[in-house]
Amino acid sequence: MKNLFVKIAAAGVLMLAPAIAQAAEGYSTANVNMRAGPSTRYPAVAVIPAGSSVEIRGCLSDVNWCDVEFYGGRGWVSGQYVQALYQQRRVYVGPQYYRPLGIPMIRFSVDNYWDRYYRNRDFYRDRDRWSRGPDYYYRDRDNRDRDRDRDNRDRDRNWRERDRDRDGRDRGRDWRDDNQRGDRQRDDLQRGDRQGGDRRGDDRRPDRRDFDCRPGDPSCDE
């Protein structure tokens, strides 16, 4: 019976061991961004003030980035900005200290991590592009920006061409209007000259010989 209790207790310790090794206490050494992934190119989700306490939930084995918890929020911080207490002294968190500090080595997946912690964030809607890596996301965004700039340039060029065509049509219409106004003015002048000539002809004093003289009319005397 005693051996049975010992085995049960040992099994309980083994079951608790992974839970105990799930986190280690650390301290930020500077005002550092906590990011949505293990790279400075991932979106920042919070700023951890220098000297703040964080819980180190795990670190990557290939690069020195750690998943930390700060005031209930989760994110990634470079190990060069996090220290932990080891043998009565603070050391920067690095692969050589993962095992002694009880920090598990973990992997990062955008889909799983973001689904768990960032559903309410604006960048979550772009998780499909982010899931291919930050380099792919920024390359894709740069391509979209170039395409948008090219579309804007094409649209501006089309507008300029339309403006130029419209200006040409306006100039042609103005030229025709000027010619028509000039023609009307010349016609008006010619009509005015003709009417003036007619009036002058009507105003001339009639010749005496145009009237029939009546006997006794003094105006008929030569």
Side-chain angles (χ1 to χ4, degrees):
M1 182 64 70
K2 183 177 180 180
N3 290 336
L4 179 60
F5 286 133
V6 171
K7 291 181 180 179
I8 293 174
V13 170
L14 292 175
M15 291 177 64
L16 290 174
I20 295 173
Q22 289 300 312
E25 187 176 8
Y27 304 89
S28 63
T29 60
N31 295 332
V32 61
N33 283 319
M34 183 169 68
R35 296 187 175 272
S39 169
T40 56
R41 306 196 76 181
Y42 281 103
V45 296
V47 175
I48 303 176
S52 299
S53 175
V54 296
E55 291 291 327
I56 305 171
R57 295 294 180 179
C59 298
L60 299 178
S61 59
D62 50 346
V63 291
N64 190 18
W65 279 80
C66 297
D67 174 21
V68 303
E69 181 176 351
F70 175 68
Y71 275 97
R74 290 287 288 271
W76 291 80
V77 177
S78 172
Q80 63 181 339
Y81 295 106
V82 179
Q83 289 182 334
L85 190 63
Y86 176 69
Q87 294 182 351
Q88 306 303 317
R89 62 189 179 93
R90 289 188 178 186
V91 297
Y92 282 97
V93 174
Q96 69 273 26
Y97 294 111
Y98 291 169
R99 184 180 295 276
L101 293 172
I103 300 173
M105 287 185 290
I106 58 176
R107 295 182 179 181
F108 172 71
S109 169
V110 166
D111 293 332
N112 294 334
Y113 199 86
W114 287 22
D115 284 345
R116 186 177 300 174
Y117 301 115
Y118 301 136
R119 285 183 174 272
N120 61 338
R121 298 280 185 162
D122 291 339
F123 55 77
Y124 180 78
R125 61 175 177 267
D126 296 326
R127 66 189 180 283
D128 292 336
R129 288 196 295 271
W130 280 106
S131 64
R132 303 182 187 183
D135 293 335
Y136 177 88
Y137 172 80
Y138 280 100
R139 182 171 62 249
D140 184 47
R141 190 183 67 176
D142 293 341
N143 291 335
R144 293 197 306 272
D145 291 341
R146 283 194 293 270
D147 291 340
R148 184 170 58 251
D149 293 340
R150 184 169 59 249
D151 292 340
N152 291 336
R153 288 194 298 270
D154 293 341
R155 188 162 52 250
D156 292 341
R157 183 170 60 250
N158 292 335
W159 276 109
R160 287 194 298 271
E161 291 175 353
R162 283 196 292 269
D163 291 340
R164 186 166 56 247
D165 294 339
R166 185 174 61 250
D167 292 341
R169 290 194 299 270
D170 292 342
R171 283 195 296 271
R173 184 170 59 249
D174 294 340
W175 181 81
R176 288 193 299 272
D177 292 342
D178 291 341
N179 287 338
Q180 291 173 357
R181 282 195 297 273
D183 293 339
R184 285 196 298 271
Q185 290 174 355
R186 284 192 296 272
D187 293 341
D188 293 341
L189 289 174
Q190 291 174 358
R191 282 196 300 271
D193 291 342
R194 287 196 299 272
Q195 292 173 357
D198 294 341
R199 284 194 300 271
R200 286 193 298 271
D202 293 341
D203 293 341
R204 285 184 308 205
R205 187 174 181 179
D207 196 341
R208 293 179 183 177
R209 288 169 297 186
D210 294 339
F211 296 92
D212 294 333
C213 292
R214 296 180 181 178
D217 191 344
S219 62
C220 291
D221 296 335
E222 293 279 336

